[in-house]
Amino acid sequence: MQKKTGILTSSILLGGFALAQFPETVTAKVSEVAEKNVVQEMVNQLSLEKYKATIKELTKFGDRRQGTERNRDALDWIEAELKSFGYTNTRRHSYEFPTKQVLPRRRQILQPGYAVGGGRQRGWKAPTGVTRNPSAQKDKHLRKLNTPQSEPGLREQVYCTKIGTTRPQEMYIVGAHMDGIGWGEAANDDGSGTALVMELARVFADPRIQTECSVRFVLWNNEESGLNGSRAYVHDRAALQGIEDPPGSGNFPEPKWLGMIQHDMMLFDHGMPRKDGTLNPEQRLEADVNIEFQMESKFSLQSQKLAWAFQRANERYATDYPATVGSHMTNTDSASFMDAVASISLRENERGTQVGNGWSPHWHQPSDLYSTYSDKDFQLGLNAAQTTLAAVAKLAGAGI
Ligand SMILES: [Zn+2]
């Protein structure tokens, strides 16, 4: 009888959230439900139509090549969008390019048969490269738009920050690069990642949602010239981490980095090219989101832990496509952070052995156009957005 009374008391108390009364397993289940509701509600704010619409807007600026007017116009548009979501703290980080900064760059010595990033190449390797021939772009309007070439000088990249309520001095960084190359629209590389970051910024901007720590949304510039925008950011801002400025203000211009999550090429996983160079015309049924960390980085253990947290978030919240964790992160802006903080990248394929072997045939090509991709392709990008949104919401302690 006593036992029964106990259960009755507990279920009445449940309404008042007197969870201390419950055995640990029940408490864990209840808090899981509470977390799921907030995270799920945030994930529900994403939609294929909104994600596609943002990519489409970005492609209006052509390839958005760094050091051109079309790149600066795209940056202005991105900043205006972030402001329209409600952010009053959009900022621009500026630097000169070409740069004289002396941030050490790791040189990778490749073994024969191994790809950049450290993975061993297997299977058929189709040729890849950057299209530099204007006449390869058959669309006259796009060819004209992409004609002005990059000029040296001032560069800018934009970010906004969701300020944490209990730990504003710490943050996760969610990034993608807004510049592109190759005489197309840079729709996949990296309009798809840029739109993902903007969509997450929109969801986190909701004033009803609060996070314990801060989350910064950054759109890097100069990725295609050698990660120069993110490298300049690390060079200029690493030493500012966690400093309250002015002292006593509660204002932290550069909260301490907890993790850096990069998104670069999110749409196209049609499998390995065939020997005649052709590919499966449809998204392959086994398509996945590739989450990579770099085994040869100072923060490999922390990065690996972060990668698995993302894999778990994908398992629970991504609607269609699973995630795979790999250890060969390379050639994207998270590499600029990997010796300073836990760093991962999300991508359609593994960068080294897959993208590098020709699995992404529109990579740096005039065919990287919005019209090239189908809804099944865009859906893979949306699944990556669901993954990062859920993982970051959980890590940052999101609540309503
Ligand atoms: Zn890229």
Side-chain angles (χ1 to χ4, degrees):
M1 277 308 284
Q2 247 185 353
K3 206 179 173 189
K4 258 192 174 173
T5 314
I7 288 167
L8 186 66
T9 315
S10 295
S11 48
I12 290 165
L13 283 170
L14 181 60
F17 293 99
L19 299 181
Q21 306 276 336
F22 282 76
E24 249 175 55
T25 46
V26 178
T27 315
K29 267 185 191 153
V30 172
S31 64
E32 221 171 79
V33 169
E35 173 230 306
K36 189 172 180 178
N37 288 345
V38 176
V39 176
Q40 189 66 61
E41 212 168 295
M42 291 175 77
V43 170
N44 291 349
Q45 301 304 310
L46 295 169
S47 81
L48 185 64
E49 290 317 308
K50 282 205 178 85
Y51 179 56
K52 283 170 64 183
T54 307
I55 297 174
K56 176 98 180 133
E57 288 295 319
L58 285 161
T59 60
K60 288 182 182 165
F61 303 98
D63 66 3
R64 305 182 298 283
R65 188 157 176 209
Q66 55 84 21
T68 65
E69 196 180 345
R70 60 190 182 279
N71 174 278
R72 291 186 288 274
D73 289 347
L75 190 97
D76 289 345
W77 179 78
I78 292 167
E79 184 172 19
E81 284 292 293
L82 297 176
K83 283 181 175 165
S84 78
F85 302 150
Y87 290 97
T88 54
N89 63 6
T90 60
R91 298 281 181 274
R92 290 187 181 204
H93 170 242
S94 338
Y95 55 96
E96 287 288 325
F97 184 78
T99 176
K100 294 191 193 91
Q101 43 144 307
V102 283
L103 196 67
R105 187 163 190 186
R106 191 192 293 244
R107 284 270 161 242
Q108 215 183 355
I109 299 150
L110 291 181
Q111 307 286 342
Y114 281 75
V116 58
R120 185 157 71 88
Q121 287 172 337
R122 275 162 282 202
W124 178 249
K125 188 178 189 320
T128 59
V130 180
T131 291
R132 301 190 191 276
N133 173 16
S135 61
Q137 180 50 262
K138 301 299 172 203
D139 182 307
K140 273 186 198 161
H141 166 76
L142 192 52
R143 188 163 66 228
K144 194 176 167 210
L145 180 63
N146 285 339
T147 292
Q149 295 301 288
S150 178
E151 287 180 7
L154 185 77
R155 297 286 186 277
E156 292 184 304
Q157 47 198 2
V158 68
Y159 58 86
C160 64
T161 311
K162 174 81 175 180
I163 308 281
T165 50
T166 56
R167 291 180 289 129
Q169 74 280 14
E170 297 178 354
M171 72 172 172
Y172 287 93
I173 304 174
V174 178
H177 69 88
M178 51 73 67
D179 66 309
I181 199 167
W183 289 93
E185 292 174 335
N188 189 24
D189 186 10
D190 185 23
S192 64
T194 300
L196 184 157
V197 173
M198 292 171 71
E199 275 293 278
L200 263 58
R202 177 180 65 78
V203 175
F204 274 89
D206 187 332
R208 291 171 303 167
I209 291 162
Q210 299 202 320
T211 54
E212 289 168 10
C213 69
S214 300
V215 183
R216 178 159 290 176
F217 303 94
V218 191
L219 288 318
W220 310 113
N221 209 337
N222 274 90
E223 193 271 354
E224 298 293 4
S225 53
L227 322 184
N228 305 95
S230 54
R231 282 158 54 75
Y233 183 98
V234 171
H235 178 268
D236 294 346
R237 301 193 66 85
L240 306 177
Q241 283 179 78
I243 297 174
E244 193 178 27
D245 184 25
S249 64
N251 190 27
F252 298 87
E254 191 65 32
K256 183 181 160 36
W257 305 338
L258 299 177
M260 198 274 154
I261 304 111
Q262 171 77 353
H263 305 83
D264 195 353
M265 302 170 71
M266 314 313 297
L267 306 182
F268 196 90
D269 187 0
H270 291 215
M272 190 187 285
R274 305 178 187 112
K275 284 201 175 182
D276 65 0
T278 60
L279 270 159
N280 189 7
E282 291 245 34
Q283 191 72 285
R284 65 181 179 136
L285 297 175
E286 305 81 5
D288 56 7
V289 177
N290 287 71
I291 303 169
E292 296 190 78
F293 67 96
Q294 178 47 257
M295 195 61 110
E296 301 298 324
S297 66
K298 279 189 193 153
F299 281 73
S300 65
L301 283 177
Q302 295 91 330
S303 302
Q304 186 174 169
K305 201 175 162 203
L306 186 64
W308 285 114
F310 273 62
Q311 193 272 347
R312 295 276 294 166
N314 168 280
E315 192 85 59
R316 205 154 150 199
Y317 294 102
T319 46
D320 313 278
Y321 297 107
T324 307
V325 172
S327 60
H328 305 311
M329 183 188 82
T330 185
N331 286 66
T332 193
D333 294 306
S334 43
S336 305
F337 288 81
M338 68 185 184
D339 291 328
V341 67
S343 301
I344 59 171
S345 71
L346 276 72
R347 208 189 276 266
E348 62 202 12
N349 289 307
E350 195 205 81
R351 169 61 183 81
T353 58
Q354 298 181 346
V355 177
N357 276 10
W359 288 38
S360 302
H362 310 295
W363 181 40
H364 301 156
Q365 299 303 314
S367 57
D368 190 359
L369 309 170
Y370 179 83
S371 60
T372 295
Y373 306 101
S374 74
D375 275 2
K376 285 178 187 165
D377 298 322
F378 289 117
Q379 192 69 24
L380 182 65
L382 186 75
N383 273 248
Q386 294 164 335
T387 302
T388 295
L389 177 54
V392 172
K394 191 168 181 207
L395 288 167
I400 292 182

